[in-house]
Amino acid sequence: MQACTEKFCQVWQDRDETHNFPQKYDAELIREALRPGVRDEIRLKEVDTVMKEELENLRLAVEKGKKGKKKKGKKKGKGKGKGKKGKKDKIKDLTPDRTMDSLIKDLVDKDILQLPAQVGVRDYVGHYKNLDAVEQKAMDPQVPEPSMAQIRQTVIEQLILPLGS
């Protein structure tokens, strides 16, 4: 009687069954009850068989290694290994007889590559955004996008002026 009372206290005392009016099964309870048996069954059937196969493969590999070492007396294995490594790293050039300029010209002629339109710094026209409103919203973590005039000024100051000096 004591064991049944303890089991009831462990399983059912703290459960809220008010939403389970039709008294359907509890999937979690079934999983908890069946897990140990399923775990043991999987261990016996699958894991043990895989471990036996791995041990057999290791045993065979060790036997092959012992046989291979007895037969080897020369350094033939090293030359073969170097040749294999070199073949993996090489990449075949599909256009060895053509220059990069001729390839780019062909791609532009076929409209695969397109030349960008000529754009000058003066083409970036716009008004400065007033950042007073942003400063008032100090709690807003988003930084506003810069205006075209701010982009133009930054490009001139950071990219063009250092080239002239």
Side-chain angles (χ1 to χ4, degrees):
M1 189 71 147
Q2 178 87 16
C4 291
T5 306
E6 288 177 6
K7 184 177 179 180
F8 172 80
C9 291
Q10 289 175 353
V11 175
W12 296 104
Q13 188 171 8
D14 295 329
R15 288 195 183 265
D16 182 20
E17 291 288 315
T18 56
H19 63 280
N20 192 8
F21 183 74
Q23 293 297 305
K24 291 187 177 181
Y25 67 92
D26 189 2
E28 190 61 34
L29 276 177
I30 294 172
R31 285 188 191 114
E32 288 175 12
L34 295 179
R35 262 190 198 128
V38 171
R39 185 178 296 131
D40 292 340
E41 185 177 327
I42 289 172
R43 182 176 174 265
L44 289 175
K45 288 184 179 177
E46 294 179 15
V47 176
D48 288 345
T49 56
V50 170
M51 290 296 289
K52 287 177 185 177
E53 289 174 8
E54 288 292 325
L55 286 172
E56 184 66 25
N57 290 339
L58 285 172
R59 186 182 61 78
L60 292 174
V62 169
E63 287 177 5
K64 285 182 182 179
K66 287 180 182 177
K67 289 179 183 177
K69 287 182 181 178
K70 290 179 184 176
K71 290 182 181 178
K72 282 187 180 178
K74 298 180 182 178
K75 297 181 181 180
K76 291 182 180 177
K78 289 185 181 179
K80 291 180 182 176
K82 288 182 182 177
K84 289 180 182 177
K85 288 181 183 176
K87 290 181 181 177
K88 289 181 184 177
D89 294 335
K90 291 184 181 178
I91 298 173
K92 186 176 180 181
D93 188 10
L94 299 176
T95 57
D97 57 336
R98 303 203 44 198
T99 63
M100 185 63 71
D101 292 333
S102 68
L103 291 172
I104 291 174
K105 185 175 184 255
D106 287 346
L107 291 174
V108 169
D109 290 342
K110 294 179 181 177
D111 289 332
I112 296 172
L113 285 179
Q114 296 178 356
L115 295 174
Q118 292 288 334
V119 178
V121 177
R122 295 175 193 235
D123 294 335
Y124 287 98
V125 181
H127 298 287
Y128 286 96
K129 288 185 179 178
N130 292 335
L131 296 178
D132 296 334
V134 176
E135 290 175 357
Q136 291 175 357
K137 296 181 182 179
M139 301 303 287
D140 189 16
Q142 291 182 343
V143 177
E145 294 181 10
S147 66
M148 294 302 274
Q150 291 168 327
I151 292 173
R152 183 180 75 201
Q153 180 182 359
T154 305
V155 167
I156 291 171
E157 290 174 357
Q158 301 294 324
L159 300 174
I160 297 174
L161 290 178
L163 292 175
S165 56

